[in-house]
Amino acid sequence: MARELGEDAYTQDSLLSTQKAALENYLLFVKKREEARVDDALDQRGIVNVAIAEHPVAPPLPALSAWALLFIAFVIAGASGTTAAFAADYLDPAFRTPDEVLAYLDAPVLASLPRPERKQLTA
C-alpha cells in the first residue's frame, strides 16, 4: 500500500507539473493573441505602435545655424590669413631697400636694382 501511495504521489506530481506547464503555455498564448489583435486594430486605423525608449531632452545651449557657423569660419579664416601674411613679411630676412642694408650691416651699398615704376593710367 505504501508503494502504491508512493507511485500515486509521483503520478500526481507529474500531472500537476504538466498542468502547470499547460496553464503557463495557455496564458502565454492568450497574451500573444491579445497583442496580435491590438496590433491588427492599430494597423487598420493607420496608427503606428511605437514605444518611447528615451524621453527627449532639450539641449543646454541653442544650436548655431549653418549661416552663423559659415560667417564665424570666414572671420577666423580671414584673421588667421592676415596674421600669417604679416608674420611671413616680418620674419622674412631679405633686405628691401639700400637704407636697410646700410642700417643693418653698417656697410655702403655698391649696387642695387631700381624698383620698377608703376604706370599711371591716363584718362
Side-chain angles (χ1 to χ4, degrees), residues 56-96:
V57 177
L61 297 174
L64 295 176
S65 69
W67 292 107
L69 289 175
L70 188 63
F71 177 73
I72 291 170
F74 275 127
V75 168
I76 290 173
S80 62
T82 303
T83 303
F86 278 115
D89 185 53
Y90 181 75
L91 297 174
D92 185 18
F95 297 116
R96 291 177 187 79

Side-chain angles (χ1 to χ4, degrees), residues 15-98:
L15 289 173
L16 285 174
S17 66
T18 304
Q19 178 194 11
K20 185 176 179 182
L23 181 62
E24 288 175 0
N25 287 338
Y26 173 74
L27 293 176
L28 179 65
F29 171 74
V30 169
K31 180 180 175 185
K32 293 287 185 181
R33 186 180 66 183
E34 182 65 20
E35 287 176 359
R37 187 187 66 76
V38 168
D39 286 341
D40 288 343
L42 291 175
D43 287 343
Q44 287 176 356
R45 293 184 182 164
I47 300 172
V48 179
N49 191 4
V50 177
I52 297 175
E54 187 174 313
H55 292 287
V57 177
L61 297 174
L64 295 176
S65 69
W67 292 107
L69 289 175
L70 188 63
F71 177 73
I72 291 170
F74 275 127
V75 168
I76 290 173
S80 62
T82 303
T83 303
F86 278 115
D89 185 53
Y90 181 75
L91 297 174
D92 185 18
F95 297 116
R96 291 177 187 79
T97 63

